[in-house]
Amino acid sequence: MVRKRKSNEPKMQWYKADLHLHTPASSDWQEPGVTFLDWLYAAEAKEVDIVAITDHNTVAGVARLRQEMNQLEWLERHNRIRPSEKRILDEYRRLGNKILVLPGFEFTATLGFHILGIFPPDTSVRELEFLLLSLNIPPDKLDSGSMEVGATADVLTAYRKIREAGGIVIAAHANAAHGVALAGVAFGGQTKIAYTQDPNLHALEVTDLESRSQRATARFFDGSKAEYPRRMHCIQGSDAHRLEQKKERLGIGDRTTELYLPEPTFEAIKELFEGDDFSRTRPCRKRRRKPKDPILAARIQGSSETQSFHEQATMYGGHLYAVLKDVAAFANRKGGTVYVGVSDNPRSPAWGVPMVENTLKTIQKDIQRRIVPPVSAEAKVMESQGQQVISITVREGKEKPYTLDIGNIFVRKGTETVLANRDEIIALVKEAAEPKAKQVPSEGKKSGNHGKAASEEPKAGEKEPEHVVPKFIQTPPNVGVEIVGREKRKGRIYYAVRDLRNDNIVHNVTKSSARRLWQYAIAKYEEDLPLDKLKITWRGDIGLVRSEDRAKKRRYDLAQRDLSGNTHVYYGVTDDGVSGEWEHLIQSDKEREKPDTGEGIAQEEALETEAQQPAVE
């Protein structure tokens, strides 16, 4: 018989938790200059409901966060708070109502084992410091946030004292380095059994919770083995030492656990871990759902060819003109969205638009009055992080080019809006004049002057080379640039650059006039000549030239042979610009970079071997 929930009972639901997070108070924090508001924004961006501050052997991070809030509240009470400070305080309050922040620490026990102690949100800093001192953390190390703290309490003593103090006790990364189930440590079976089965231990944090292997840590501790009869709650945490992931180092909210709770409180979490319902924890997997805050989701993606961000739209300072430039540029390209009242940094507050209705009317009026011919744009007010923001959706224009204030033609290039050059204006006019069917290139058809011929300099005064239409087996990427021509005139070199996003070719580009990606492509192209001698890791007719992190993204220089045997090189390609075989090529490059230590399998095998040992110390 299923018991019906009473109307006054909280509704059970899944909450996303990351219970192992560091802050700048840990000495090995990797991103200098990060504020605690940045830290909370990162958690919000990943839609984490519950977080725990677990710095190494210190609660200095908890103390700093509380001190900052207390100081702002004091200024507010005494009417001395500035508008910028008031906004920060309001953000702390908003995030505090949205995210449960639990104080805690990551304790280094004797011989280097790591243990998480997590406590109710109203636990005082003094209580937590007293507990750390009782665990033999030296007083002069109490604020250092270091893992190196000398001889401290042993594992079982730490379990008992943290639990007696009212905390939740979790063995940190139990199956990995500094974990209580670590393979290769010269202890007998009884010691390891005690470290993973102690009644004061609430849960094991493991790094392979999503593994389906029969040797996964959670399967090992499922209570089926005679030497390990207690089934353990197993969770996962990010152990983040930075806001965002970089290579193998996870950021906040990158490895989380979902907890099935009546409400997101410390008491409900502790009740779950002290119970025997193991169906109420699960690894958090990415879910396809509409973002709770679409503007925040857009800010996480950042500025691009199809979206831009402006904190203001005032006439003074040129802010309104900058908004109108983007509207015109999007109409001249493939359309896009302009956001007013926010920056493209998701870690900064959404300041919103004061007198939003008046600003909205001004923007709508100026779009219709100053951009010719009229563009198709819809401006509306939306809410993000408790602030009113203006969103302007611009559709691709059918009567290009669109001009701003009589004669200024703007186009979007990557994250920038710039004045169109002569060739771009001609391309816009041709695009508007030609039938739509002729504007869309057939699959696999690109035009250009490639391979060895592209490295040859035409004679002075010679006519610009005709661009042949090569044929490919694989469709080229749709992000990046290709240098398709090179000509020297009066001692100066001019390039023809193909933008892979729209297949347009821009002529008469110089090193000095090129911007960002184009400038990079020209520099690398000069280094790579002749292309048919370039060192390339081929996979059939496509290949990898090089890869590197640039402008906060992994970027690839890729190569391709056409059916005539010519080599084409595409510069600055990103993950979102490839599919099919290109995607497999990039994945192969990522796997080559990732170190394969075999640590996980070795640890699992050691655990099983140990379980078969006689229970003798």
Side-chain angles (χ1 to χ4, degrees):
M1 182 177 178
V2 178
R3 184 181 72 87
K4 292 184 178 180
R5 183 175 63 89
K6 296 180 181 179
S7 60
N8 60 345
E9 288 182 355
K11 182 181 178 181
M12 298 288 290
Q13 66 183 77
W14 291 99
Y15 292 93
K16 188 175 178 181
D18 200 341
L19 300 179
H20 189 173
L21 295 172
H22 295 266
T23 76
S26 285
S27 61
D28 53 354
W29 177 260
Q30 298 175 350
E31 289 182 301
V34 168
T35 68
F36 284 95
L37 195 56
D38 293 337
W39 193 90
L40 290 169
Y41 279 138
E44 181 187 36
K46 295 294 178 61
E47 297 186 348
V48 183
D49 303 301
I50 303 165
V51 296
I53 298 176
T54 54
D55 289 310
H56 294 296
N57 305 298
T58 185
V59 287
V62 178
R64 291 178 201 169
L65 172 60
R66 292 180 179 178
Q67 183 180 10
E68 184 173 349
M69 288 191 64
N70 290 339
Q71 184 176 4
L72 291 171
E73 288 172 343
W74 184 91
L75 291 171
E76 182 184 51
R77 285 195 304 272
H78 292 79
N79 296 320
R80 295 173 60 181
I81 193 166
R82 299 173 182 172
S84 59
E85 293 169 332
K86 181 65 166 62
R87 286 177 176 174
I88 293 172
L89 178 58
D90 288 344
E91 283 297 282
Y92 270 129
R93 286 170 173 162
R94 183 185 66 81
L95 292 166
N97 290 327
K98 189 175 184 180
I99 303 171
L100 174 64
V101 181
L102 299 175
F105 50 72
E106 184 175 13
F107 172 68
T108 304
T110 302
L111 301 176
F113 295 108
H114 287 189
I115 302 163
L116 301 178
I118 301 171
F119 298 85
D122 57 351
T123 307
S124 70
V125 170
R126 184 167 294 181
E127 288 178 89
L128 297 175
E129 289 183 336
F130 179 80
L131 177 58
L132 286 170
L133 290 170
S134 73
L135 293 171
N136 297 332
I137 297 296
D140 61 334
K141 298 274 189 178
L142 206 55
D143 291 328
S144 65
S146 171
M147 288 190 293
E148 306 299 326
V149 287
T152 57
D154 64 87
V155 169
L156 298 183
T157 299
Y159 288 169
R160 175 177 57 81
K161 287 195 171 188
I162 293 172
R163 184 159 188 166
E164 287 175 351
I168 294 172
V169 186
I170 301 174
H173 36 72
N175 63 318
H178 302 289
V180 296
L182 181 63
V185 178
F187 284 118
Q190 285 285 20
T191 302
K192 288 188 177 180
I193 290 169
Y195 282 2
T196 58
Q197 300 281 282
D198 187 81
N200 290 309
L201 179 64
H202 286 102
L204 300 174
E205 180 198 42
V206 300
T207 61
D208 60 350
L209 190 59
E210 297 189 70
S211 172
R212 297 182 180 180
S213 168
Q214 292 295 325
R215 295 180 176 179
T217 310
R219 287 178 181 260
F220 186 91
F221 291 103
D222 63 2
S224 62
K225 295 178 173 58
E227 291 83 359
Y228 297 86
R230 182 188 171 201
R231 182 174 181 180
M232 296 301 300
H233 287 284
C234 289
I235 67 168
Q236 62 182 8
S238 298
D239 190 10
H241 289 72
R242 56 186 303 111
L243 297 185
E244 298 174 0
Q245 184 173 2
K246 184 175 182 181
K247 295 185 178 179
E248 301 305 311
R249 299 310 299 264
L250 299 179
I252 292 173
D254 284 332
R255 187 166 61 198
T256 54
T257 306
E258 288 188 314
L259 308 176
Y260 196 57
L261 305 171
E263 54 186 347
T265 64
F266 173 85
E267 291 73 21
I269 299 170
K270 190 174 183 182
E271 177 272 330
L272 185 159
F273 287 143
E274 290 182 341
D276 57 3
D277 187 348
F278 297 92
S279 66
R280 291 173 57 191
T281 61
R282 68 186 185 190
C284 182
R285 297 182 176 92
K286 292 181 179 178
R287 291 165 286 178
R288 294 183 179 271
R289 62 184 184 184
K290 186 178 180 181
K292 296 177 182 177
D293 187 337
I295 293 179
L296 178 61
R299 295 172 70 195
I300 293 170
Q301 294 174 356
S303 297
S304 68
E305 191 183 22
T306 58
Q307 61 183 26
S308 65
F309 302 85
H310 299 267
E311 293 190 15
Q312 303 177 58
T314 58
M315 295 180 65
Y316 300 105
H319 302 296
L320 177 59
Y321 187 73
V323 171
L324 297 176
K325 280 169 51 177
D326 286 353
V327 172
F330 287 149
N332 280 327
R333 285 300 196 196
K334 302 298 181 182
T337 305
V338 183
Y339 297 100
V340 181
V342 292
S343 71
D344 62 355
N345 181 2
R347 302 195 310 235
S348 67
W351 300 124
V353 179
M355 297 185 295
V356 66
E357 293 298 335
N358 290 338
T359 304
L360 179 64
K361 290 178 182 178
T362 299
I363 290 174
Q364 291 172 326
K365 180 180 176 181
D366 278 37
I367 287 175
Q368 297 304 318
R369 181 173 63 89
R370 299 172 64 180
I371 299 178
V372 179
V375 300
S376 177
E378 179 188 0
K380 61 182 179 180
V381 177
M382 300 177 66
E383 186 170 306
S384 178
Q385 298 179 325
Q387 301 292 332
Q388 289 186 309
V389 175
I390 293 175
S391 167
I392 309 166
T393 303
V394 185
R395 294 178 181 85
E396 180 181 2
K398 297 180 180 179
E399 300 179 77
K400 303 174 184 177
Y402 291 85
T403 67
L404 174 62
D405 291 346
I406 308 176
N408 293 321
I409 301 174
F410 292 96
V411 292
R412 190 74 173 173
K413 289 186 178 179
T415 62
E416 293 184 320
T417 291
V418 298
L419 281 168
N421 59 33
R422 175 181 175 276
D423 287 314
E424 288 168 334
I425 294 172
I426 292 172
L428 289 171
V429 173
K430 287 182 176 179
E431 186 179 348
E434 291 176 359
K436 196 67 177 178
K438 292 184 179 180
Q439 296 176 25
V440 183
S442 59
E443 183 177 351
K445 289 186 179 181
K446 300 274 182 175
S447 61
N449 183 27
H450 305 284
K452 190 175 181 179
S455 67
E456 297 172 355
E457 295 181 1
K459 294 178 181 179
E462 191 174 29
K463 198 175 180 180
E464 186 177 308
E466 294 292 328
H467 295 293
V468 298
V469 182
K471 295 182 179 179
F472 301 98
I473 297 175
Q474 306 288 337
T475 302
N478 56 29
V479 170
V481 297
E482 179 186 10
I483 310 299
V484 297
R486 180 179 184 274
E487 182 182 4
K488 190 171 185 179
R489 300 196 301 266
K490 295 182 179 180
R492 194 171 188 183
I493 299 177
Y494 296 86
Y495 300 87
V497 180
R498 180 198 307 283
D499 191 330
L500 298 179
R501 294 168 298 185
N502 50 33
D503 206 38
N504 287 339
I505 297 176
V506 179
H507 300 280
N508 302 315
V509 178
T510 65
K511 286 183 180 180
S512 58
S513 68
R515 300 178 182 86
R516 295 190 177 181
L517 179 58
W518 290 20
Q519 197 171 63
Y520 164 83
I522 289 172
K524 288 297 182 183
Y525 176 79
E526 290 290 348
E527 293 177 14
D528 294 342
L529 290 176
L531 299 185
D532 56 354
K533 303 294 184 182
L534 183 62
K535 184 177 179 182
I536 300 169
T537 304
W538 289 103
R539 183 188 178 114
D541 62 320
I542 64 175
L544 175 71
V545 180
R546 64 181 68 83
S547 63
E548 61 183 55
D549 290 322
R550 194 168 68 253
K552 298 183 180 180
K553 278 189 177 183
R554 191 68 173 172
R555 296 180 184 269
Y556 304 86
D557 295 343
L558 304 177
Q560 184 175 25
R561 294 190 189 101
D562 62 27
L563 294 181
S564 299
N566 294 320
T567 299
H568 303 249
V569 179
Y570 311 122
Y571 296 97
V573 180
T574 54
D575 288 298
D576 54 356
V578 297
S579 60
E581 290 301 315
W582 292 107
E583 193 171 6
H584 296 317
L585 176 68
I586 286 178
Q587 188 61 36
S588 299
D589 178 62
K590 291 179 180 177
E591 290 173 357
R592 280 195 299 271
E593 283 205 348
K594 184 177 180 180
D596 184 9
T597 61
E599 181 184 41
I601 295 175
Q603 292 169 359
E604 292 161 0
E605 291 176 346
L607 283 173
E608 284 211 336
T609 303
E610 181 188 308
Q612 298 168 4
Q613 294 176 354
V616 178
E617 187 76 16

